[in-house]
């Protein structure tokens, strides 16, 4: 299931991210703001447990997260979406999946993987661009092989091709995106998109 963030700030931020004159420093800050909105949406249904708490006036019942949260960025562009999640959920565990698309074939090659225990957690897989969906499907395969079962995917911009690929291979994974774009060009870049997210984030 695809959820496009409806908050007006999301559209405002995506527009600035698309603008080719936006410099890396501003781009990073915009990425942070949009990731916060995405993370809030993707965690709105987290399970809670009741706890006792004493206010200065009396005892009452409060709530805490019932299960651990894990964020997994797909390197390298996904790294820009980690700190926003940590700022909301300081106790989050972080795993890393390194995948890089071959420029000629657009097929993702795995070069790194380090994951915390994933059983009985909510996993947020973060990657700004969902283009062909090849990277996302590979990452979701790995997360499930390592015990992840309740997974949400967060993207800044998604293409219909990528959404279809994820929905076909992993129909249980809900996708939260800032925008759904028109499609891919012949080099498998998203149109209108915002270009190469990693290059714009890191100034490469
Ligand atoms: C980008 C992006 C995704 C992937 C999406 O990463 O961050 O991981 O492409 O494309 P796909 O849906 O067709 O697989 P890239 O491979 O450019 O690596 P980078 O993050 O190191 O720049
Ligand atoms: N990766 C990007 O960074 N941008 C695209 O448009 C597609 C894949």
């Amino acid at each position: 299931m695809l959820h496009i963030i409806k908050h007006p700030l999301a559209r405002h931020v995506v527009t600035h991210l698309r603008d080719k004159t936006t410099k890396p420093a501003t781009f990073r800050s915009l990425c942070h703001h949009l990731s916060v909105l995405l993370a809030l949406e993707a965690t709105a249904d987290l399970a809670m447990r009741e706890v006792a708490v004493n206010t200065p006036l009396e005892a009452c019942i409060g709530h805490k997260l019932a299960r651990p949260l894990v964020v997994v960025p797909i390197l390298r562009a996904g790294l820009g979406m980690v700190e926003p999640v940590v700022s909301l959920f300081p106790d989050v565990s972080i795993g890393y999946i390194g995948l890089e698309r071959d420029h000629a074939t657009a097929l993702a090659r795995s070069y790194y993987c380090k994951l915390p225990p994933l059983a009985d957690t909510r996993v947020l897989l973060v990657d700004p661009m969902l283009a062909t969906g090849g990277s996302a499907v590979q990452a979701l395969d790995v997360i499930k092989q390592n015990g992840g079962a309740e997974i949400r995917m967060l993207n800044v911009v998604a293409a219909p091709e990528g959404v279809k690929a994820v929905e076909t291979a992993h129909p249980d994974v809900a996708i939260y995106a800032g925008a759904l774009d028109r499609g891919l060009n012949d080099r498998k870049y998203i149109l209108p998109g915002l270009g190469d997210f990693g290059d714009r984030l890191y100034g490469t």
Side-chain angles (χ1 to χ4, degrees):
M1 164 106 66
L2 173 67
H3 305 264
I4 301 296
I5 303 301
K6 292 199 176 58
H7 198 291
L9 185 58
R11 267 174 285 159
H12 175 87
V13 169
V14 169
T15 302
H16 275 272
L17 286 167
R18 290 192 195 283
D19 187 338
K20 66 180 183 184
T21 67
T22 299
K23 301 258 183 317
T26 309
F27 197 88
R28 282 193 278 272
S29 150
L30 292 164
C31 173
H32 181 103
H33 293 316
L34 187 67
S35 301
V36 166
L37 292 174
L38 290 167
L40 286 173
E41 288 277 332
T43 53
D45 62 343
L46 281 178
M48 307 293 290
R49 65 182 167 85
E50 290 190 348
V51 293
V53 61
N54 295 308
T55 81
L57 300 179
E58 63 178 20
C60 70
I61 298 296
H63 296 88
K64 287 196 168 174
L65 297 185
R67 297 193 293 129
L69 190 68
V70 178
V71 61
V72 179
I74 299 180
L75 307 179
R76 109 199 115 136
L79 276 179
M81 301 175 76
V82 172
E83 171 53 28
V85 175
V86 174
S87 71
L88 293 172
F89 301 98
D91 293 331
V92 68
S93 302
I94 308 174
Y96 298 92
I97 294 179
L99 292 170
E100 187 176 27
R101 288 202 328 176
D102 182 287
H103 282 295
T105 63
L107 295 175
R109 175 188 67 85
S110 165
Y111 60 88
Y112 188 74
C113 182
K114 188 125 191 158
L115 296 170
L118 299 180
D120 203 27
T121 67
R122 163 76 56 95
V123 180
L124 302 180
L125 175 64
V126 297
D127 188 346
M129 305 304 274
L130 180 61
T132 65
S135 306
V137 169
Q138 264 195 60
L140 290 165
D141 289 344
V142 171
I143 287 170
K144 287 185 178 176
Q145 284 156 13
N146 282 271
E150 191 183 280
I151 312 165
R152 307 283 188 267
M153 170 129 205
L154 279 55
N155 305 116
V156 170
V157 175
E161 293 88 334
V163 173
K164 190 170 174 206
V166 170
E167 285 180 345
T168 303
H170 297 284
D172 56 304
V173 175
I175 302 169
Y176 293 79
L180 177 66
D181 276 10
R182 188 170 81 245
L184 304 177
N185 68 10
D186 56 1
R187 293 174 53 228
K188 309 297 183 196
Y189 273 77
I190 300 176
L191 295 174
L194 45 75
D196 189 306
F197 200 98
D199 284 351
R200 298 195 62 194
L201 190 68
Y202 295 117
T204 50

